[in-house]
Amino acid sequence: MRSVLPRAVRDLSGELARWPGIGPKTAKRLAIHLLRQPRRAVARVADTLKSLHANVTLCTQCYNLAEQEICTICSDELRRREVLCVVESPLDVEAIEQAGSYDGRYHVLGGVLSPLEGIDAEQLTLQELFARLKREPISELILGLNPTVEGEATARYIVQALPDESIAITRLGRGLPTGGDIEFADATTLAAAFSGRTTLK
Amino acid sequence: MRSVLPRAVRDLSGELARWPGIGPKTAKRLAIHLLRQPRRAVARVADTLKSLHANVTLCTQCYNLAEQEICTICSDELRRREVLCVVESPLDVEAIEQAGSYDGRYHVLGGVLSPLEGIDAEQLTLQELFARLKREPISELILGLNPTVEGEATARYIVQALPDESIAITRLGRGLPTGGDIEFADATTLAAAFSGRTTLK
């Protein structure tokens, strides 16, 4: 289907249509919306995009997104050192922090095991997790992984790889619906999941 | 709710959350998605945004988006000159063109009359439309306005403002559900609307 929109609008909507959850019609609508905004406002979005990578790094301790070598959570002396919550992505940390029901630390895997998508243990920060468990005084490991097939498989992998019986391994339990997504859970659901976590080992 | 995301991610998701249809959680998800893309790909989006306004203008004849003074449709000698379709926005032109059931020309109003949003006749290209009807050999004016309260009011306004009985005024009829949106109609619905248009005057 030929488009009669100017090339600049088509180029932009083509880029936006690559973003997850944005279809070609929504992309065109967004492009036209931006065209109606003041030029300066659109330039500001462009600048924000350009400086995105330069100002974000990964925390060398927990692999969460950070502005400096150590993220704000890892450098917070008030956070409990003996509890570590393993999550898939920085958005999970964000959701749990906004719910405010957890005061320990995190370890961000950067994904979950997924043979279908070609993601194996090497591509996640699993070795870094095991090294932390040896190095840090952690007594409980909370598996805060999404209740999906991949999340469960990753949880099983971690349980099997940890023969050290001095560390309790729990997982977030009641409250998270199967097939759901931590990132979109509300605060109450997340609080219930934290308080109702079940012991795996 | 405090965010633990780096400022660059928050800045970007704050910008994206201003876009229509994008909520704060989707905006964060998009920002993290972009962070995972190669820096060069994100810079390309930024460049596209920056050059958007510079490379788009309005056609001086029909007020559709254009790259030059006259848009590709107005400069197409094969398009029928005696039929003019009045639409609200360039996205409506795009949808009708992609359906391929119309070979006349367009006039883009740039909106519809909406007292609630403070949009009156002065802000639309209505005077320019009436001037065209005097100047050009138009025998039929098709009102391709959305079947909403504002679209209907704008159609009535045009009908009342045109005492010239030599021009037939029709509107797109069957096929468009009340409260719907031309831009999202499929090709069959648009074709039915073109063939089933009803005479107003």
Side-chain angles (χ1 to χ4, degrees), chain B residues 4 7 13 17-18 47-48 52 55 94 109 123 147 156 176 179-180 189 192 201:
Chain B
V4 291
R7 170 165 291 280
S13 61
R18 293 169 195 262
D47 291 337
T48 316
L52 180 65
N55 297 318
E94 176 79 354
L109 290 180
Q123 289 161 269
R156 269 198 308 278
L176 292 175
T189 306
K201 191 175 165 187

Side-chain angles (χ1 to χ4, degrees), chain B residues 54-73:
Chain B
N55 297 318
V56 180
T57 182
L58 291 183
C59 173
T60 54
Q61 268 179 25
C62 74
Y63 300 93
N64 191 10
L65 297 178
E67 290 170 14
Q68 294 176 323
E69 204 187 325
I70 306 290
C71 76
T72 51
I73 295 175

Side-chain angles (χ1 to χ4, degrees), chain B residues 97-118:
Chain B
E97 284 301 297
Q98 297 212 328
S101 37
Y102 178 65
D103 62 351
R105 288 154 191 262
Y106 295 93
H107 188 85
V108 180
L109 290 180
V112 278
L113 295 173
S114 173
L116 282 177
E117 294 182 28

